[in-house]
PDB file of all heavy atoms in Angstrom:
ATOM      1  N   ARG A1468     -43.908  25.979  64.267  1.00 97.00           N
ATOM      2  CA  ARG A1468     -43.636  25.757  65.697  1.00 97.00           C
ATOM      3  C   ARG A1468     -42.350  24.940  65.816  1.00 97.00           C
ATOM      4  O   ARG A1468     -42.361  23.727  66.057  1.00 97.00           O
ATOM      5  CB  ARG A1468     -44.803  25.021  66.337  1.00 97.00           C
ATOM      6  CG  ARG A1468     -46.131  25.756  66.254  1.00 97.00           C
ATOM      7  CD  ARG A1468     -46.422  26.615  67.428  1.00 97.00           C
ATOM      8  NE  ARG A1468     -46.815  25.830  68.600  1.00 97.00           N
ATOM      9  CZ  ARG A1468     -46.942  26.328  69.820  1.00 97.00           C
ATOM     10  NH1 ARG A1468     -46.679  27.597  70.045  1.00 97.00           N
ATOM     11  NH2 ARG A1468     -47.309  25.554  70.820  1.00 97.00           N
ATOM     12  N   LYS A1469     -41.215  25.599  65.625  1.00 92.00           N
ATOM     13  CA  LYS A1469     -39.922  24.920  65.544  1.00 92.00           C
ATOM     14  C   LYS A1469     -39.502  24.286  66.876  1.00 92.00           C
ATOM     15  O   LYS A1469     -38.688  23.374  66.896  1.00 92.00           O
ATOM     16  CB  LYS A1469     -38.840  25.915  65.100  1.00 92.00           C
ATOM     17  CG  LYS A1469     -39.094  26.570  63.751  1.00 92.00           C
ATOM     18  CD  LYS A1469     -38.846  25.627  62.612  1.00 92.00           C
ATOM     19  CE  LYS A1469     -38.889  26.360  61.281  1.00 92.00           C
ATOM     20  NZ  LYS A1469     -38.644  25.484  60.134  1.00 92.00           N
ATOM     21  N   GLN A1470     -40.048  24.770  67.989  1.00 94.00           N
ATOM     22  CA  GLN A1470     -39.627  24.288  69.297  1.00 94.00           C
ATOM     23  C   GLN A1470     -40.441  23.082  69.775  1.00 94.00           C
ATOM     24  O   GLN A1470     -40.183  22.545  70.848  1.00 94.00           O
ATOM     25  CB  GLN A1470     -39.763  25.419  70.340  1.00 94.00           C
ATOM     26  CG  GLN A1470     -39.143  26.745  69.935  1.00 94.00           C
ATOM     27  CD  GLN A1470     -37.679  26.630  69.592  1.00 94.00           C
ATOM     28  OE1 GLN A1470     -36.934  25.944  70.278  1.00 94.00           O
ATOM     29  NE2 GLN A1470     -37.266  27.287  68.517  1.00 94.00           N
ATOM     30  N   VAL A1471     -41.412  22.659  68.982  1.00 96.00           N
ATOM     31  CA  VAL A1471     -42.332  21.603  69.405  1.00 96.00           C
ATOM     32  C   VAL A1471     -41.914  20.262  68.818  1.00 96.00           C
ATOM     33  O   VAL A1471     -41.560  20.174  67.641  1.00 96.00           O
ATOM     34  CB  VAL A1471     -43.779  21.957  68.958  1.00 96.00           C
ATOM     35  CG1 VAL A1471     -44.746  20.834  69.273  1.00 96.00           C
ATOM     36  CG2 VAL A1471     -44.225  23.251  69.628  1.00 96.00           C
ATOM     37  N   MET A1472     -41.962  19.210  69.636  1.00 96.00           N
ATOM     38  CA  MET A1472     -41.595  17.875  69.182  1.00 96.00           C
ATOM     39  C   MET A1472     -42.585  17.391  68.110  1.00 96.00           C
ATOM     40  O   MET A1472     -43.756  17.752  68.131  1.00 96.00           O
ATOM     41  CB  MET A1472     -41.593  16.898  70.357  1.00 96.00           C
ATOM     42  CG  MET A1472     -40.563  17.232  71.426  1.00 96.00           C
ATOM     43  SD  MET A1472     -38.869  17.115  70.808  1.00 96.00           S
ATOM     44  CE  MET A1472     -38.711  15.328  70.641  1.00 96.00           C
ATOM     45  N   PRO A1473     -42.109  16.533  67.170  1.00 95.00           N
ATOM     46  CA  PRO A1473     -42.962  16.104  66.051  1.00 95.00           C
ATOM     47  C   PRO A1473     -44.304  15.512  66.461  1.00 95.00           C
ATOM     48  O   PRO A1473     -45.333  15.833  65.845  1.00 95.00           O
ATOM     49  CB  PRO A1473     -42.088  15.070  65.329  1.00 95.00           C
ATOM     50  CG  PRO A1473     -40.682  15.531  65.593  1.00 95.00           C
ATOM     51  CD  PRO A1473     -40.711  16.076  66.993  1.00 95.00           C
ATOM     52  N   ALA A1474     -44.325  14.667  67.470  1.00 95.00           N
ATOM     53  CA  ALA A1474     -45.598  14.059  67.875  1.00 95.00           C
ATOM     54  C   ALA A1474     -46.581  15.124  68.359  1.00 95.00           C
ATOM     55  O   ALA A1474     -47.786  15.050  68.084  1.00 95.00           O
ATOM     56  CB  ALA A1474     -45.362  13.019  68.966  1.00 95.00           C
ATOM     57  N   GLN A1475     -46.073  16.116  69.077  1.00 97.00           N
ATOM     58  CA  GLN A1475     -46.927  17.207  69.551  1.00 97.00           C
ATOM     59  C   GLN A1475     -47.377  18.089  68.384  1.00 97.00           C
ATOM     60  O   GLN A1475     -48.507  18.592  68.390  1.00 97.00           O
ATOM     61  CB  GLN A1475     -46.191  18.043  70.603  1.00 97.00           C
ATOM     62  CG  GLN A1475     -47.005  19.177  71.200  1.00 97.00           C
ATOM     63  CD  GLN A1475     -48.217  18.682  71.975  1.00 97.00           C
ATOM     64  OE1 GLN A1475     -48.209  17.576  72.519  1.00 97.00           O
ATOM     65  NE2 GLN A1475     -49.277  19.487  72.014  1.00 97.00           N
ATOM     66  N   GLN A1476     -46.510  18.278  67.403  1.00 98.00           N
ATOM     67  CA  GLN A1476     -46.899  19.046  66.215  1.00 98.00           C
ATOM     68  C   GLN A1476     -48.131  18.435  65.559  1.00 98.00           C
ATOM     69  O   GLN A1476     -49.049  19.150  65.156  1.00 98.00           O
ATOM     70  CB  GLN A1476     -45.744  19.102  65.214  1.00 98.00           C
ATOM     71  CG  GLN A1476     -44.598  19.993  65.638  1.00 98.00           C
ATOM     72  CD  GLN A1476     -43.516  20.082  64.578  1.00 98.00           C
ATOM     73  OE1 GLN A1476     -43.640  19.537  63.494  1.00 98.00           O
ATOM     74  NE2 GLN A1476     -42.432  20.768  64.908  1.00 98.00           N
ATOM     75  N   VAL A1477     -48.147  17.120  65.438  1.00 98.00           N
ATOM     76  CA  VAL A1477     -49.292  16.433  64.829  1.00 98.00           C
ATOM     77  C   VAL A1477     -50.577  16.746  65.591  1.00 98.00           C
ATOM     78  O   VAL A1477     -51.611  17.071  64.993  1.00 98.00           O
ATOM     79  CB  VAL A1477     -49.047  14.913  64.764  1.00 98.00           C
ATOM     80  CG1 VAL A1477     -50.326  14.169  64.387  1.00 98.00           C
ATOM     81  CG2 VAL A1477     -47.937  14.594  63.765  1.00 98.00           C
ATOM     82  N   ARG A1478     -50.512  16.678  66.912  1.00 98.00           N
ATOM     83  CA  ARG A1478     -51.706  16.957  67.720  1.00 98.00           C
ATOM     84  C   ARG A1478     -52.141  18.416  67.576  1.00 98.00           C
ATOM     85  O   ARG A1478     -53.346  18.712  67.505  1.00 98.00           O
ATOM     86  CB  ARG A1478     -51.431  16.608  69.193  1.00 98.00           C
ATOM     87  CG  ARG A1478     -51.284  15.107  69.441  1.00 98.00           C
ATOM     88  CD  ARG A1478     -51.304  14.780  70.917  1.00 98.00           C
ATOM     89  NE  ARG A1478     -50.088  15.227  71.596  1.00 98.00           N
ATOM     90  CZ  ARG A1478     -48.991  14.480  71.717  1.00 98.00           C
ATOM     91  NH1 ARG A1478     -48.944  13.274  71.194  1.00 98.00           N
ATOM     92  NH2 ARG A1478     -47.942  14.940  72.370  1.00 98.00           N
ATOM     93  N   GLU A1479     -51.165  19.307  67.543  1.00 98.00           N
ATOM     94  CA  GLU A1479     -51.506  20.725  67.408  1.00 98.00           C
ATOM     95  C   GLU A1479     -52.138  21.018  66.049  1.00 98.00           C
ATOM     96  O   GLU A1479     -53.118  21.772  65.955  1.00 98.00           O
ATOM     97  CB  GLU A1479     -50.249  21.578  67.617  1.00 98.00           C
ATOM     98  CG  GLU A1479     -49.749  21.553  69.056  1.00 98.00           C
ATOM     99  CD  GLU A1479     -48.558  22.459  69.295  1.00 98.00           C
ATOM    100  OE1 GLU A1479     -48.053  23.079  68.329  1.00 98.00           O
ATOM    101  OE2 GLU A1479     -48.117  22.557  70.457  1.00 98.00           O
ATOM    102  N   ILE A1480     -51.584  20.429  64.998  1.00 98.00           N
ATOM    103  CA  ILE A1480     -52.126  20.650  63.655  1.00 98.00           C
ATOM    104  C   ILE A1480     -53.548  20.115  63.562  1.00 98.00           C
ATOM    105  O   ILE A1480     -54.431  20.764  62.987  1.00 98.00           O
ATOM    106  CB  ILE A1480     -51.215  20.013  62.594  1.00 98.00           C
ATOM    107  CG1 ILE A1480     -49.889  20.785  62.510  1.00 98.00           C
ATOM    108  CG2 ILE A1480     -51.897  20.010  61.219  1.00 98.00           C
ATOM    109  CD1 ILE A1480     -48.825  20.087  61.688  1.00 98.00           C
ATOM    110  N   GLU A1481     -53.782  18.940  64.127  1.00 98.00           N
ATOM    111  CA  GLU A1481     -55.141  18.383  64.124  1.00 98.00           C
ATOM    112  C   GLU A1481     -56.134  19.371  64.737  1.00 98.00           C
ATOM    113  O   GLU A1481     -57.236  19.587  64.220  1.00 98.00           O
ATOM    114  CB  GLU A1481     -55.168  17.071  64.912  1.00 98.00           C
ATOM    115  CG  GLU A1481     -54.529  15.897  64.203  1.00 98.00           C
ATOM    116  CD  GLU A1481     -54.479  14.651  65.065  1.00 98.00           C
ATOM    117  OE1 GLU A1481     -54.581  14.789  66.315  1.00 98.00           O
ATOM    118  OE2 GLU A1481     -54.325  13.550  64.516  1.00 98.00           O
ATOM    119  N   THR A1482     -55.738  19.968  65.848  1.00 98.00           N
ATOM    120  CA  THR A1482     -56.618  20.902  66.552  1.00 98.00           C
ATOM    121  C   THR A1482     -56.805  22.195  65.763  1.00 98.00           C
ATOM    122  O   THR A1482     -57.929  22.698  65.624  1.00 98.00           O
ATOM    123  CB  THR A1482     -56.041  21.216  67.943  1.00 98.00           C
ATOM    124  OG1 THR A1482     -55.874  19.988  68.664  1.00 98.00           O
ATOM    125  CG2 THR A1482     -56.954  22.126  68.736  1.00 98.00           C
ATOM    126  N   LEU A1483     -55.701  22.746  65.240  1.00 98.00           N
ATOM    127  CA  LEU A1483     -55.799  23.994  64.484  1.00 98.00           C
ATOM    128  C   LEU A1483     -56.554  23.809  63.177  1.00 98.00           C
ATOM    129  O   LEU A1483     -57.260  24.716  62.731  1.00 98.00           O
ATOM    130  CB  LEU A1483     -54.405  24.545  64.190  1.00 98.00           C
ATOM    131  CG  LEU A1483     -53.680  25.234  65.335  1.00 98.00           C
ATOM    132  CD1 LEU A1483     -52.384  25.854  64.841  1.00 98.00           C
ATOM    133  CD2 LEU A1483     -54.558  26.294  65.994  1.00 98.00           C
ATOM    134  N   LEU A1484     -56.414  22.649  62.572  1.00 98.00           N
ATOM    135  CA  LEU A1484     -57.100  22.410  61.302  1.00 98.00           C
ATOM    136  C   LEU A1484     -58.615  22.477  61.488  1.00 98.00           C
ATOM    137  O   LEU A1484     -59.332  23.045  60.657  1.00 98.00           O
ATOM    138  CB  LEU A1484     -56.677  21.055  60.736  1.00 98.00           C
ATOM    139  CG  LEU A1484     -57.156  20.723  59.323  1.00 98.00           C
ATOM    140  CD1 LEU A1484     -56.755  21.809  58.331  1.00 98.00           C
ATOM    141  CD2 LEU A1484     -56.603  19.375  58.888  1.00 98.00           C
ATOM    142  N   LYS A1485     -59.105  21.930  62.593  1.00 98.00           N
ATOM    143  CA  LYS A1485     -60.547  21.997  62.879  1.00 98.00           C
ATOM    144  C   LYS A1485     -60.995  23.450  63.057  1.00 98.00           C
ATOM    145  O   LYS A1485     -62.060  23.845  62.578  1.00 98.00           O
ATOM    146  CB  LYS A1485     -60.873  21.191  64.134  1.00 98.00           C
ATOM    147  CG  LYS A1485     -60.716  19.682  63.953  1.00 98.00           C
ATOM    148  CD  LYS A1485     -60.929  18.942  65.273  1.00 98.00           C
ATOM    149  CE  LYS A1485     -60.662  17.455  65.112  1.00 98.00           C
ATOM    150  NZ  LYS A1485     -60.755  16.738  66.417  1.00 98.00           N
ATOM    151  N   LEU A1486     -60.163  24.236  63.749  1.00 98.00           N
ATOM    152  CA  LEU A1486     -60.485  25.649  63.942  1.00 98.00           C
ATOM    153  C   LEU A1486     -60.507  26.385  62.598  1.00 98.00           C
ATOM    154  O   LEU A1486     -61.437  27.153  62.320  1.00 98.00           O
ATOM    155  CB  LEU A1486     -59.462  26.291  64.885  1.00 98.00           C
ATOM    156  CG  LEU A1486     -59.640  27.785  65.157  1.00 98.00           C
ATOM    157  CD1 LEU A1486     -60.939  28.047  65.901  1.00 98.00           C
ATOM    158  CD2 LEU A1486     -58.449  28.320  65.954  1.00 98.00           C
ATOM    159  N   CYS A1487     -59.503  26.146  61.777  1.00 98.00           N
ATOM    160  CA  CYS A1487     -59.432  26.810  60.474  1.00 98.00           C
ATOM    161  C   CYS A1487     -60.595  26.413  59.581  1.00 98.00           C
ATOM    162  O   CYS A1487     -61.153  27.253  58.861  1.00 98.00           O
ATOM    163  CB  CYS A1487     -58.097  26.482  59.787  1.00 98.00           C
ATOM    164  SG  CYS A1487     -56.678  27.288  60.539  1.00 98.00           S
ATOM    165  N   GLN A1488     -60.962  25.151  59.623  1.00 98.00           N
ATOM    166  CA  GLN A1488     -62.099  24.690  58.817  1.00 98.00           C
ATOM    167  C   GLN A1488     -63.392  25.353  59.265  1.00 98.00           C
ATOM    168  O   GLN A1488     -64.255  25.668  58.441  1.00 98.00           O
ATOM    169  CB  GLN A1488     -62.200  23.167  58.895  1.00 98.00           C
ATOM    170  CG  GLN A1488     -61.089  22.453  58.134  1.00 98.00           C
ATOM    171  CD  GLN A1488     -61.030  20.956  58.416  1.00 98.00           C
ATOM    172  OE1 GLN A1488     -61.570  20.466  59.410  1.00 98.00           O
ATOM    173  NE2 GLN A1488     -60.352  20.209  57.552  1.00 98.00           N
ATOM    174  N   GLN A1489     -63.508  25.582  60.570  1.00 98.00           N
ATOM    175  CA  GLN A1489     -64.700  26.256  61.105  1.00 98.00           C
ATOM    176  C   GLN A1489     -64.869  27.637  60.482  1.00 98.00           C
ATOM    177  O   GLN A1489     -65.995  28.077  60.206  1.00 98.00           O
ATOM    178  CB  GLN A1489     -64.580  26.363  62.626  1.00 98.00           C
ATOM    179  CG  GLN A1489     -65.749  27.058  63.304  1.00 98.00           C
ATOM    180  CD  GLN A1489     -65.527  27.196  64.806  1.00 98.00           C
ATOM    181  OE1 GLN A1489     -64.721  26.488  65.407  1.00 98.00           O
ATOM    182  NE2 GLN A1489     -66.238  28.116  65.422  1.00 98.00           N
ATOM    183  N   TYR A1490     -63.738  28.323  60.248  1.00 98.00           N
ATOM    184  CA  TYR A1490     -63.771  29.674  59.698  1.00 98.00           C
ATOM    185  C   TYR A1490     -63.427  29.718  58.207  1.00 98.00           C
ATOM    186  O   TYR A1490     -63.293  30.799  57.638  1.00 98.00           O
ATOM    187  CB  TYR A1490     -62.822  30.586  60.495  1.00 98.00           C
ATOM    188  CG  TYR A1490     -63.349  30.909  61.868  1.00 98.00           C
ATOM    189  CD1 TYR A1490     -63.026  30.100  62.952  1.00 98.00           C
ATOM    190  CD2 TYR A1490     -64.209  31.988  62.076  1.00 98.00           C
ATOM    191  CE1 TYR A1490     -63.525  30.373  64.229  1.00 98.00           C
ATOM    192  CE2 TYR A1490     -64.709  32.267  63.331  1.00 98.00           C
ATOM    193  CZ  TYR A1490     -64.366  31.454  64.409  1.00 98.00           C
ATOM    194  OH  TYR A1490     -64.871  31.720  65.661  1.00 98.00           O
TER     195      TYR A1490
END
Side-chain angles (χ1 to χ4, degrees):
R1468 300 268 285 170
K1469 301 286 189 180
Q1470 311 303 318
V1471 175
M1472 297 296 289
Q1475 182 64 29
Q1476 288 183 4
V1477 169
R1478 291 192 289 271
E1479 291 184 357
I1480 291 169
E1481 286 175 340
T1482 303
L1483 283 186
L1484 188 55
K1485 291 175 185 175
L1486 178 65
C1487 288
Q1488 289 169 341
Q1489 179 183 340
Y1490 288 91

